[in-house]
Amino acid sequence: PCRVEVAITAHIFFFFLVLQASVEASGEIALCKTGFPEDVYSAVLSKDVHEGQPLLNVKFSNCNGKRKVQYESSEPADFKVDEDGMVYAVRSFPLSSEHAKFLIYAQDKETQEKWQVAVKLSLKPTLPEESVKESTEVEEIVFPRQLGKHSGHLQRQKRDWVIPPINLPENSRGPFPQELVRIRSDRDKNLSLRYSVTGPGADQPPTGIFIINPISGQLSVTKPLDREQIARFHLRAHAVDINGNQVENPIDIVINVIDMNDNRPEFLHQVWNGTVPEGSKPGTYVMTVTAIDADDPNALNGMLRYRILSQAPSTPSPNMFTINNETGDIITVAAGLDREKVQQYTLIIQATDMEGNPTYGLSNTATAIITVTDVNDNPPEFTAMTFYGEVPENRVDVIVANLTVTDKDQPHTPAWNAVYRISGGDPTGRFAIQTDPNSNDGLVTVVKPIDFETNRMFVLTVAAENQVPLAKGIQHPPQSTATVSVTVIDVNENPYFAPNPKIIRQEEGLHAGTMLTTFTAQDPDRYMQQNIRYTKLSDPANWLKIDPVNGQITTIAILDRESPNVKNNIYNATFLASDNGIPPMSGTGTLQIYLLDINDNAPQVLPQEAETCETPDPNSINITALDYDIDPNAGPFAFDLPLSPVNIKRNWTITRLNGDFAQLNLKIKFLEAGIYEVPIIITDSGNPPKSNISILRVKVCQCDSNGDCTDVDRIVGAGLGTGAIIAILLCIIILLILVLMFVVWMKRRDKERQAKQLLIDPEDDVRDNILKYDEEGGGEEDQDYDLSQLQQPDTVEPDAIKPVGIRRMDERPIHAEPQYPVRSAAPHPGDIGDFINEGLKAADNDPTAPPYDSLLVFDYEGSGSTAGSLSSLNSSSSGGEQDYDYLNDWGPRFKKLADMYGGGDD
C-alpha cells in the first residue's frame, strides 16, 4: 500500500484512500462493479473554507473504460466536482453543521444511468493555545506511490491525498528565504530526482515569491506576503528524474496568507451630509455612514464598530443622535429639533476595527453634518391689524395697499411663501392680491373699475396662509388675518350720450331750419356741478347743426336720401359733448337719421343709346327705366311717345312689356339709315306720380339677314358733349402754351449765345490764339478756322446786334464808330497784308479808342495801372529812337532781343 504523510504546523491529518477492488485470477473471470467504490467519503477541514479550496477526491469505477461520466453536487452553490473527481469549494464560508454532509452524483452521458455517493466533512480539532505560529520544524510532503502488483494480482491503491492548505502570516519579518515544507518522493532512494513548483507566485506572475530546491525539495518563501494583494496561492509540485521523465503525479499545494491587523478603517467620505426635519420624534432615521477595512472582513481585524465622539452644538441636548455601532445608521434619540434655534449639527464619528476594541483596534474618524430642514411650524402674521389705501375711480391694475407679514420659517420655501386670500368685503371681485416673490408682501390690486358714485369705500378682510399646510397640531393665530380699508377718489368722468347711437326717422326733402330732435349727454359726476356744451364732430353732407347748450339738432340744408353720404337709407352724424371739469372731459354720440323716401326723382330711359334696322323686322329695341327712388315711388313704369313732333308717333311705336320694360319698334316699313333722337315719356308709380321725357338715341342702320348692323361706324352722338368739348379745348390750350414756351426758350438761347460770344475768354478767341501742333503741317490748308475773321473783323459781331450793356471793358465806346476799312466778302488772298496795314493806320489815328497798337485785342487795365500805358509804343514810327540797353539786365532769356535792338546802328 501507498502511504502519504503530511505534517503542517505540528498537525497530522489522516485521509482514507479509495481502493478499487479488482480481482483477477489466472484462468478466472475478472469481476468489476461500475460505480463509486466507497459508500461515504470523509474529509477533515479547518473552520474557514476558502473559495476554490480543494477538499477531497472521489473515484468512480469505470469497468469497460468507455463510459463518459458527468459529476454533479447536491449543493452546487457550495461545492463543485471536476471531471477528475476533485471536489472544490465554490465560495468561502465557515464550516458548520449545515455544510457537514452532501451528495455527489455521477451520470452516464449516453445511457443516463446515475450513481451517487455521500460526502461527510468534519471540523479539524484545534488546541486552545494554537493560533498562527511558525514551526521550527520543516514539514514534509511525500508523493504517493504508483499502482503496483503483488503476487500477480492487482493491488488496490489508496485514493490521492488532499493536502491541507499551508497557513502563512502576512508581513512576516523573515529571515528570508523562509522554509515552509519539504517535498519528497519515496523513489528518491533509487532514483536521482528533481523537484519543481509551478503556478502564480512561482513561475507565473508574481514570480519568485516561492522557490524550491530542486535536489532537496525544500519549498521556501522569499519575501513578506500581503494578504490585501493576494490572499491565497495555488501551487503544483512536480518530481521528475534526471531525464525529465515524470515519476510522480503532481500534487497541489495551497498557501493561505493569514491576515494581520495592518490596515485602519477608512470612511468612504470624509464629510457626510444628512438632513432631518425639525420636530422629528426620537428614533427617526437620519443617515448612514460607512467605513471599510482592507483586512479580512471575516476576522476580527476587519470587523468594525462605530460610535459618536462629539456633537456640536450640544443644545438642546448633548446627545441628540446615536449611531448603530455595526451598521453606521444615525438616528435621533431626543426630541426638540428646532430649525429656528439650531439649523445644523456636526458629529464626529469614529470607526474602530477588532470589533471596537479600544486597546488593540485601529481607528479613524469622519465628520457628519446634519442639517435640520424646515417644516411649516410658523404661520405668517401681519405686521398690522389694519392697512389703508386709496384708488381713483375707473382705474384698474393699480396697487392700492402693500400688506406686510412676518414668517419665522426658512425664507423662499413653501413654508415661508405667503398666499393671500380676500375672505370678505369684496362680493363683486373687484380686488385681487398678488404676492411679491422677493419680499413676500401682499399687493392689493384693483382688477375691475370702481365707480365713486356707487361705492366710496371698501373694507376688505384678508387672510394670510402658506403654500403648504401648517404642521400637525399648529393653528393659525389671529395675527394671520387683517383688514384693508380702501377709499375711492372721485375723478371727472366723460359725459355720455344715451342712447348711443340715437336713431330717428325723417322724410327726405326737409327744408333748412327744421328741428329734428334733441340729442343730449349725461354727466356721471353727480357730485360735481358742471355744464355740458355740444359741438358737431362729423357731418359729411353738412346738413345739421346742434345747439351748444340744449343739444337741439336743426337742419341747415335739404335732406336727400339719394345723396352718396346716405348708406342704406341711414345718414350718420357724430356730436361731441364736453364738460367744464378739471381736467375737461368729453364724450361722443352718433345720431342716425333713417330717411324715408319721397317721389322726388323722375325716371330716365335706360339704355340711352340703341340701334335698329331700317325695316321693322327682324329686331326691336328693349328699354327700361332708371329711378333713384325706391318703392313705392319707383316702378311699375308707364312708357309713351309724345305727340310732338308728329314724326315721332308716325315713325315709332312703343309697347309696354311689363311694369319695368317696354319695346320700341319702327312703325313704318322703311326708315333711312341715320341717328335719330326719340323722346320717351316715362311715368313712375309715386303718389303723386312723376313723369319725365327722356331722349333715346337710336341708330338706324342697314342689317344683314341675322339683324346685325353692317355699317362700320357705331353710334356716334350728333354733337359732342360738354365734357368732350372742354377736354378738346384744354388740349389745344396746353399745346399752344408748349409752343409758346419753346419759342421763348429758343430766343433766350440765341441771346445767351450772343452774350457768350461777346464775353468769350481771350484765350478762346481764334484771332488771339497761336495754334500749336505736334506735327508740321501744310500751312493754312491744314488749319480748321475761318480766314474771314482776319479779313473782315467788324463783320464778326456788328454793334447793331450786340445787346446793350454787355461789352468788354477794353472796347471802344459805341457812340464813336471807328472808320476801319471794309473788305469785300471774297477778297484776294494777297490783299490781307494791305488790309492789315490800313487797319493799323486807322487804329493809330483813332483818338477815342483805348491804346490799341495792333489788331490783337488785350484787356484794358484802366487808368492808374502800374504797368504804364502801351501808347508810347508807336508802331508806325522807327524803333531807332528807343534805348533797349536795359534788356541786358533782364537775364539770358532776353539776350537775343537785346542783341537785335540794343546793338546800335548795326
Side-chain angles (χ1 to χ4, degrees), residues 87 102 198 233 235 246 270 272 378 416 477 491 494 499 760 787 821:
V87 182
F102 61 95
T198 59
F233 294 89
L235 305 179
Q246 178 177 320
Q270 194 59 36
W272 297 78
N378 293 281
W416 179 82
V491 297
N494 297 324
I760 193 169
L787 292 179

Side-chain angles (χ1 to χ4, degrees), residues 734-744:
I734 292 173
L735 182 61
L736 292 176
I737 292 174
L738 292 176
V739 172
L740 180 62
M741 291 176 63
F742 180 74
V743 172
V744 172

Side-chain angles (χ1 to χ4, degrees), residues 170-171 227-228 258-265 293-296 299-304 352-355 357 359-363:
E170 66 173 334
N171 303 324
R227 192 205 67 85
E228 286 71 42
I258 304 303
D259 182 45
M260 305 294 290
N261 192 16
D262 57 346
N263 291 280
R264 289 182 177 275
D293 196 317
D295 294 326
D296 188 358
L300 293 177
N301 298 335
M303 295 181 180
L304 306 181
T352 306
D353 58 15
M354 298 296 290
E355 291 187 328
N357 190 316
T359 304
Y360 303 104
L362 301 178
S363 301

